[in-house]
Amino acid sequence: MYFSVTAALIPTPGRYHLDKPHTISLCRNYGPATIGVHKIKFGSIVTLMRDQTIQTTDNTFFGHPRGLLVCFMTELWERFSFYGMRALLIFYLTEHFLFGDDKAFLIYGAYSALVYVMPVIGGILADRYLGSRKAVTFGAILLVIGHFGMTLEGPPATVTGTIVERDPLYLQFFYLSLAFIITGVGFLKANISTVVGALYETDDRRRDGGFTIFYMGINIGAFFASILCGWLGQTYGWAYGFGLAGIGMLVGLVVFLRGQPHLQGRADPPSPALLAEKLVGGVSRETSIYCGAIAGVFVIWQLVQHQALVGRALMGFGGLMLVVVVAYSFLKCDRTERQRMFVASTLVLFSVLFWALFEQAGSSLNLFADRSVDRVVAGYEIPASVFQSLNAFFIFLLAPLFALLWTWLAARNWEPSTPIKFALAILQVGLGFLVLVFGAQTTGYGEPTPLIWLVFIYLLHTTGELCLSPVGLSMITKLSVARVVGMMMGVWFLASAGANFIASQIARLTSAETREGEVLDQTAALAQTLDVYTQVGWFAIGVAAFLLLISPLLRRGMHGVH
């Protein structure tokens, strides 16, 4: 798409970045004369030469700033590495290190919870000191180290009598690699989105389209990672799957470093002088931050080995934040602000249940697919981890349809309110479990569950996600008092972290008794898992019904915010 640019008579030649879809002048008009009108693409770099000719450089990516391509590819490969490792993690714990289900779920839960906590810290450091560009680069380096560290698998665990013997050195390599990945995600995840936003002016109409393209990169990375890394890891060896994830992150780092010029300096540190300021021992503030982050890696290294401590810390911080929000609402807010804050806090609490059930995908559902589902298609048994790709696949398929549906309903004043969308999400996540239970129970005794029922649960969980996830952060920014939006965003991420740890506790209820990675009583294990899924399914439906009942009250408390 093109737009017109008028080159006016000017005293000094210059270079201009054109990013608005309308006719503009290259600079102030000092006289009536014009050089001419030129058709130029969005995002092009335009240089007015001293001879008053115009040169242009096509600098666009589907009509967007070229920096969007840099962010798109960086995030695609980062998500490729993250979801590739995630698809394999529970199997690596139970089949290589021979952890029992209960312990494996705890480790998985502590890891996934900390992954959601760290972006809060990384975001603060980037906003105040590092800037998004430096934070993303540092995070990517830590991720590369962590993912390649996962390839150091060492000898598999062995069983002597009732004792499981694991190589202590390689077990510590594993925990340390998780710590590098957690810290790396903390610096990269929140800040790469900030870089995307910085590429556009506030009133640039391409902004929403740019974020849509960017988030498509997330799902492309997640889809192919689950298939390729999962297949390699479970078919040829863990090091191959984790290694491919590491290569993906390395590619993402190279893309980001080589694409720096396209970011146009918009993600640089807010105050380079402050960042270069010397602190204790003559060490700059920037170096101190990096050293502190490395020290943080070693703290997280210990936390992932003491999972109960992670749970207690989350409960403590969660309780403290609830008290702070309630106290602030009563002491610092007027009636309208207070009610909006209460609605936001209420919906955050309901979102915890949704994500606690949705995040069974990487833990208990992954093991269910491996142990209790008929995965043979055309004579080939598909590795269980590959089915982690179904969520991303359904998002590709359904996200545009949901966007059209909400637009069509809004045009007729039928679009559900945010509380109703949350209720629909919780309803669908509950129905997903009940549908899977129905499919498993209607199968003949001793027969594996047909694959179609696993597909159905991922379909329903994805449609639920599309009702809740796109409006979650938007809801926080709209309902929160402007003075504490940052704090409420922290509450949202803390709730997501808590949900992931709660997910591990739910998964523990499905734990089967195993020996050398094999389930001892398959029938009893299946019955136990189905019983848990039945209970959480009906509980979710009951909570969804309750949320539907109180949604008119919550909507009134929003005071016109949509």
Side-chain angles (χ1 to χ4, degrees):
M1 188 172 183
Y2 295 82
F3 65 99
S4 299
V5 175
T6 301
L9 185 65
I10 60 174
T12 306
R15 197 165 180 265
Y16 304 88
H17 180 242
L18 306 177
D19 57 2
K20 292 187 178 181
H22 51 70
T23 300
I24 66 172
S25 175
L26 286 180
C27 72
R28 290 176 296 174
N29 191 344
Y30 283 86
T34 59
I35 298 171
V37 176
H38 305 262
K39 296 289 188 179
I40 301 170
K41 281 187 178 182
F42 289 162
S44 294
I45 299 296
V46 176
T47 304
L48 185 63
M49 308 302 289
R50 291 190 179 276
D51 61 1
Q52 294 190 329
T53 60
I54 286 180
Q55 295 183 358
T56 66
T57 300
D58 183 3
N59 199 37
T60 63
F61 171 58
F62 291 106
H64 291 266
R66 181 67 63 173
L68 178 64
L69 174 61
V70 177
C71 296
F72 174 89
M73 294 302 297
T74 303
E75 182 68 353
L76 184 155
W77 286 112
E78 188 274 330
R79 290 291 90 181
F80 180 93
S81 66
F82 178 83
Y83 282 102
M85 195 277 283
R86 177 181 180 267
L88 289 171
L89 182 55
I90 198 69
F91 299 117
Y92 189 54
L93 290 168
T94 56
E95 296 176 15
H96 178 74
F97 285 117
L98 298 184
F99 284 110
D101 289 1
D102 188 80
K103 183 66 172 179
F105 290 143
L106 269 177
I107 296 171
Y108 181 92
Y111 161 76
S112 56
L114 289 169
V115 159
Y116 278 92
V117 170
M118 291 306 294
V120 178
I121 300 173
I124 293 172
L125 290 173
D127 289 344
R128 287 192 171 188
Y129 305 114
L130 290 176
S132 299
R133 178 177 59 82
K134 286 179 177 288
V136 169
T137 303
F138 182 61
I141 292 170
L142 295 180
L143 281 164
V144 169
I145 295 171
H147 283 297
F148 280 118
M150 293 289 290
T151 64
L152 302 173
E153 59 183 78
T158 57
V159 178
T160 304
T162 58
I163 305 298
V164 179
E165 297 178 353
R166 306 179 183 93
D167 189 303
L169 176 62
Y170 286 97
L171 183 59
Q172 290 304 312
F173 275 144
F174 165 70
Y175 286 129
L176 183 59
S177 298
L178 287 186
F180 271 105
I181 291 171
I182 291 166
T183 310
V185 170
F187 276 91
L188 188 147
K189 182 57 182 168
N191 294 308
I192 190 70
S193 300
T194 304
V195 177
V196 175
L199 295 173
Y200 301 91
E201 300 297 334
T202 305
D203 58 347
D204 193 327
R205 289 183 291 180
R206 298 173 298 161
R207 175 185 285 264
D208 288 347
F211 272 99
T212 299
I213 294 172
F214 173 72
Y215 286 123
M216 189 59 68
I218 294 175
N219 291 302
I220 292 173
F223 176 74
F224 286 106
S226 301
I227 294 174
L228 297 176
C229 297
W231 172 70
L232 275 175
Q234 288 198 278
T235 304
Y236 293 101
W238 309 111
Y240 292 99
F242 292 134
L244 182 59
I247 291 170
M249 190 61 251
L250 182 59
V251 171
L253 174 60
V254 171
V255 167
F256 191 74
L257 291 176
R258 290 180 62 86
Q260 298 291 301
H262 296 297
L263 302 182
Q264 306 159 20
R266 298 195 179 197
D268 286 344
S271 176
L274 181 64
L275 197 58
E277 181 182 343
K278 301 298 183 181
L279 301 178
V280 179
V283 178
S284 70
R285 189 183 303 274
E286 181 175 3
T287 302
S288 298
I289 291 173
Y290 296 147
C291 292
I294 297 300
V297 168
F298 288 93
V299 173
I300 295 172
W301 182 20
Q302 297 305 309
L303 283 177
V304 291
Q305 299 179 65
H306 299 86
Q307 302 85 30
L309 182 59
V310 175
R312 287 195 293 270
L314 287 172
M315 289 181 61
F317 283 123
L320 177 62
M321 292 303 298
L322 181 61
V323 170
V324 170
V325 170
V326 172
Y328 184 89
S329 300
F330 275 108
L331 298 175
K332 300 290 186 179
C333 299
D334 59 33
R335 179 175 177 274
T336 298
E337 291 175 335
R338 180 163 52 251
Q339 290 184 357
R340 285 176 175 169
M341 289 282 284
F342 284 161
V343 171
S345 300
T346 300
L347 293 178
V348 167
L349 290 175
F350 279 105
S351 75
V352 170
L353 173 63
F354 174 83
W355 292 116
L357 298 182
F358 181 89
E359 290 297 336
Q360 295 303 306
S363 54
S364 68
L365 267 176
N366 229 357
L367 289 185
F368 180 86
D370 185 62
R371 297 168 178 174
S372 304
V373 173
D374 181 4
R375 294 175 281 108
V376 177
V377 177
Y380 174 74
E381 186 175 53
I382 302 172
S385 57
V386 169
F387 294 103
Q388 294 291 295
S389 65
L390 287 173
N391 174 245
F393 171 76
F394 285 131
I395 287 178
F396 288 147
L397 196 66
L398 300 175
L401 300 180
F402 268 74
L404 291 173
L405 174 63
W406 299 139
T407 302
W408 185 82
L409 291 173
R412 291 158 178 78
N413 293 320
W414 294 346
E415 184 180 7
S417 65
T418 298
I420 291 178
K421 287 181 179 178
F422 272 58
L424 292 174
I426 296 171
L427 174 67
Q428 289 170 93
V429 80
L431 282 174
F433 284 108
L434 296 182
V435 165
L436 180 64
V437 170
F438 172 79
Q441 291 179 338
T442 54
T443 305
Y445 180 78
E447 294 294 321
T449 304
L451 180 59
I452 188 63
W453 300 107
L454 184 68
V455 175
F456 279 152
I457 187 174
Y458 279 113
L459 172 62
L460 284 166
H461 284 194
T462 303
T463 54
E465 181 188 8
L466 289 170
C467 288
L468 184 145
S469 185
V471 301
L473 289 176
S474 175
M475 175 271 297
I476 291 292
T477 58
K478 291 178 180 178
L479 291 178
S480 301
V481 179
R483 301 182 296 276
V484 293
V485 168
M487 181 186 75
M488 291 300 290
M489 291 290 283
V491 170
W492 174 265
F493 281 109
L494 188 61
S496 298
N500 274 268
F501 194 80
I502 293 171
S504 72
Q505 304 304 306
I506 295 172
R508 290 177 69 192
L509 299 175
T510 69
S511 298
E513 188 177 354
T514 60
R515 181 176 174 81
E516 298 187 35
E518 298 294 330
V519 177
L520 297 180
D521 188 338
Q522 182 65 45
T523 302
L526 177 61
Q528 181 174 339
T529 299
L530 296 181
D531 182 58
V532 172
Y533 285 175
T534 300
Q535 293 180 47
V536 298
W538 283 115
F539 179 73
I541 290 173
V543 171
F546 174 71
L547 182 52
L548 283 172
L549 286 175
I550 66 172
S551 61
L553 179 63
L554 294 174
R555 186 171 185 178
R556 283 198 297 273
M558 295 168 70
H559 293 281
V561 172
H562 299 288

